[in-house]
Amino acid sequence: MSATGEVENDLRRRVENGEFQPGTRLPRLADLMAEYGMKSRSAMDRALRALVAEGLLTIRQGSGIYVRQRHVVQRDFIAGLRMEYAQAIRDEVTEGGLFEAMTGTKTEVSTSYELIDADSRVAELLKIEAGTPLLMRTFRYTINGLTHQVSRSMMSTDLAQAAGLSSPSSERPGVGTIMQLRRAGRTPNRAQIMLETRMPSTVERDQLDVGRGTPIYEHWRVLSQDGEPLEVSTALVPGDRVAYVLNVDLTAAS
């Protein structure tokens, strides 16, 4: 094995056994070279960049190389949907927010609104013409200062107006989309979920602070009422920060 490979393996071991804790900065490149007896700066750089590509390390421009922070959240899609729907029917607002109620994890959420034209995939899911004006709401979830998930919700501008969604200040903690639609007189009675995995784009990699070798989950949700799509949402989550669980009662359909 090359010297670069040996250094890469040893640094990986030190990260994994906790010698270098998540969020901490690694020693300077010159110090690491001295510690490992390496004379080639490029060889040490290759070892570090290999670990960045794996997602173990991250580069902060002007600051150094850090051990990536990861908070793995367990999510049950079915239980989460049922919770959101039940609370919407009861018009019950969840203290602390739906994400926290579903996962037991506290998050900070920032929201932005934008008017867009429906692209071909969203148009197909909403059964509308491509280019139809839509309201897109973007929700960025952060855990301990690190972006965990970026979600986007899209619906017609007329429906958004009926739901009272005029600006980010319209959002309320604990009030999800199902409740918002119900208050607009359009209670969804079916949800379709599609879960996909892929490699992130450069922009997405920067948004989510993921290494080059880390895939992301992209899950799509369509809320419908009696076969009519009302809202489409999509969420991007780094593959090393979430564990999806499905608990199904096999006797429910018998």
Side-chain angles (χ1 to χ4, degrees), residues 11-245:
L11 285 173
R12 183 185 298 107
R13 176 190 61 78
R14 296 171 73 179
V15 170
E16 291 176 346
N17 70 16
E19 181 179 345
F20 295 132
Q21 290 290 315
T24 60
R25 187 174 66 182
L26 262 62
R28 295 180 309 152
L29 189 64
D31 293 335
L32 287 173
M33 290 175 62
E35 179 178 351
Y36 284 102
M38 296 187 72
K39 297 182 179 179
S40 171
R41 183 183 181 90
S42 62
M44 176 59 74
D45 188 64
R46 285 196 301 272
L48 292 171
R49 290 190 177 276
L51 297 178
V52 169
E54 287 182 21
L56 286 178
L57 305 178
T58 184
I59 299 174
R60 299 182 187 175
Q61 296 299 328
S63 180
I65 299 178
Y66 290 75
V67 179
R68 279 191 62 224
Q69 291 181 307
R70 294 189 303 160
H71 186 109
V72 179
V73 174
Q74 188 173 93
R75 296 195 62 181
D76 187 324
F77 273 135
I78 294 176
L81 272 171
R82 287 174 173 164
M83 174 189 292
E84 183 181 355
Y85 180 79
Q87 291 179 346
I89 295 300
R90 297 193 300 265
D91 202 39
E92 177 182 288
V93 177
T94 301
E95 184 178 353
L98 283 172
F99 188 93
E100 182 176 340
M102 292 175 183
T103 66
T105 303
K106 292 184 177 181
T107 62
E108 297 289 334
V109 184
S110 61
T111 308
S112 62
Y113 277 34
E114 180 182 358
L115 291 177
I116 64 167
D117 295 330
D119 64 23
S120 58
R121 179 166 189 179
V122 172
E124 180 181 0
L125 293 173
L126 285 175
K127 298 181 181 178
I128 59 176
E129 293 292 329
T132 299
L134 301 174
L135 170 66
M136 180 174 74
R137 300 176 294 160
T138 300
F139 304 92
R140 183 185 298 272
Y141 297 79
T142 59
I143 300 174
N144 298 325
L146 185 68
T147 301
H148 170 77
Q149 172 177 304
V150 176
S151 302
R152 294 179 175 87
S153 165
M154 291 152 282
M155 67 179 74
S156 72
T157 53
D158 288 342
L159 184 54
Q161 184 178 13
L165 302 175
S166 57
S167 71
S169 62
S170 305
E171 304 293 336
R172 296 289 182 270
V175 177
T177 299
I178 295 177
M179 184 179 294
Q180 291 166 336
L181 293 173
R182 179 172 172 78
R183 290 177 175 178
R186 304 300 304 273
T187 304
N189 51 23
R190 187 171 186 82
Q192 179 187 21
I193 292 177
M194 295 153 282
L195 183 62
E196 305 169 0
T197 57
R198 61 177 175 81
M199 300 307 294
S201 67
T202 300
V203 172
E204 291 166 344
R205 199 163 56 235
D206 291 340
Q207 285 179 335
L208 297 167
D209 188 24
V210 295
R212 291 183 179 274
T214 304
I216 58 173
Y217 284 108
E218 181 173 19
H219 50 85
W220 293 77
R221 184 180 79 170
V222 182
L223 295 176
S224 304
Q225 181 186 48
D226 300 329
E228 179 187 354
L230 303 175
E231 182 257 5
V232 169
S233 63
T234 180
L236 302 177
V237 190
D240 60 352
R241 296 180 202 166
V242 67
Y244 289 113
V245 178

